[in-house]
Every structure is written in structure tokens, then in C-alpha cells.
Amino acid sequence: MIITLLILSVLVGVVLGKFFGSKQKLAKYLLILSAGFLITICLNEVFPQVYHSEKHNIGAWVIGGVILQMLLENFTKGFEHGHFHHHNNDAVLPAGLIVGLFIHAFIEGIPLAGETEVFSPYLQGIIFHNLPISFVLGAFLFRNKKLSAYSWLIIILFAGASPLGLLLGKYFNPDWQPYFLAIVGGIFLHISSVIIFESNKNHNTDWTKIALVILGVLLAMTGHLFHHHH
């Protein structure tokens, strides 16, 4: 069920990207909304769980996640926060981007290995975070209206990355779970803060952005409350 949800979140994003890809604003809004959601999940769910595990020096793994994300961005050039520069018109995504996105989604899947709850906040975080990325991906891949085998391959790779991480995670020592969760926490923290704090040119207050972040936070909080009542 969880795997189905993970794959669906990518496919839905890609399809939305196909139909609404020209609406740049929509992708940006989705992204900011997901950033508010993500940072809340981080602070409410992921970090308490990570630090509660009382593993020695676990904080270093969170920082490792932040640094890992910085490294991955050398490959993806900030694709995760909606930076997409149409340099050339051929629908070929740089291999580095695909590798970077794959690794990113793969690592996110690992902590899900022990997850049974369909409404786990962490899972919701990933799903919410997959939507805008897949949206941008779909918008790009469908630009020439017809999908090549190559485009399908990329979509399948990206959609399969988190489920693969999840399956592999089942073979890991359960004691490692907090470490992977810590790494992903760092990744999420980095991505959401970059999206939220991205420089608006002259530091004018962008009310739409603030509203969207708050909405994302509220959505996550509602999920949080709901999750804890059950």
C-alpha cells in the first residue's frame, strides 16, 4: 500500500505537470506549500524521533544529511526546489540530475522500511514533497507533447526510487533506522529552508509565500493531531 502511494505521488505529479506545466506559478506555489509541510514534519515528527532514539552523536547524521543534500545539488542544480533552467530545447535531462534525484528519493525511502501506518507523517511528507518535483519533471518531459521511451524511463526510475529504498531498508539492521531518518531529516531541513528563505529580490514581504508556508504548516499540524489521536 505504501509503495503504491509512493509511486502514485510521482505519477500524479507528472500528470499534473503535463497539463499545468506552463503555469509556472502553480509549481512554485505547490513547492512552497510542500516546504511548509516538510519543515513541520521535520520538527514535529522526524527530529523528535531521531533524538529520542538516543543514538550517540545522532545530530552529526542530521548535519550529514544537510551536507549530502548540498552535494546532491551539484548534480541536480536545485531541481528539488523548483530551479529549472531551460538551457536547451532537447528534452534530455542531464544524467547528473537523474542520478541526483534517484539517490535523493532512494534515501528517503529507506526509513519507511518498518512503516506500517499509511498515515505516517513521514510518509505524507515524502508524498507531499514528491508532488512538486514530479510536477516540474512532468512539465519538462512532456514539453514536446509526446513522451519518448527515455522520458518514461526517467519517470519509472524516479517513481521506483523510494520503493526500492524501502525494500532495501527491510534488509538493514533496524538499529540503523534512526541514522537514515536523521540523514533524511537533514535533507528535508535543507530543502524546505532553501525554498522558504529563497531571496525575494529586495526582501519585500511576500504575503502569498508566507500564507502558503503557513497553510503547509497547518496541513501538517492537522495531520499531526489526527495521527496522535489514533
Side-chain angles (χ1 to χ4, degrees), residues 53-167:
S53 70
E54 289 177 1
K55 299 276 186 223
H56 191 55
N57 286 341
I58 192 89
W61 292 79
V62 177
I63 297 162
V66 173
I67 293 169
L68 176 66
Q69 179 55 30
M70 290 166 78
L71 294 172
L72 284 177
E73 281 175 17
N74 284 327
F75 295 110
T76 59
K77 303 282 180 263
F79 197 88
E80 308 84 335
H81 7 100
H83 289 269
F84 198 68
H85 311 292
H86 304 288
H87 287 310
N88 45 9
N89 254 346
D90 33 322
V92 176
L93 287 167
L97 171 68
I98 298 151
V99 172
L101 277 183
F102 182 84
I103 293 174
H104 170 100
F106 180 77
I107 295 172
E108 285 173 355
I110 298 174
L112 284 168
E115 189 57 73
T116 45
E117 276 261 358
V118 175
F119 284 111
S120 105
Y122 175 72
L123 177 65
Q124 289 173 346
I126 292 185
I127 287 174
F128 218 109
H129 161 71
N130 273 347
L131 280 169
I133 299 184
S134 315
F135 184 97
V136 183
L137 199 61
F140 178 79
L141 294 174
F142 277 107
R143 253 190 351 198
N144 323 10
K145 294 296 168 266
K146 61 184 206 310
L147 260 191
S148 57
Y150 166 82
S151 305
W152 273 116
L153 183 69
I154 294 175
I155 292 171
I156 290 165
L157 266 177
F158 184 53
S162 290
L164 273 173
L166 186 156
L167 293 171

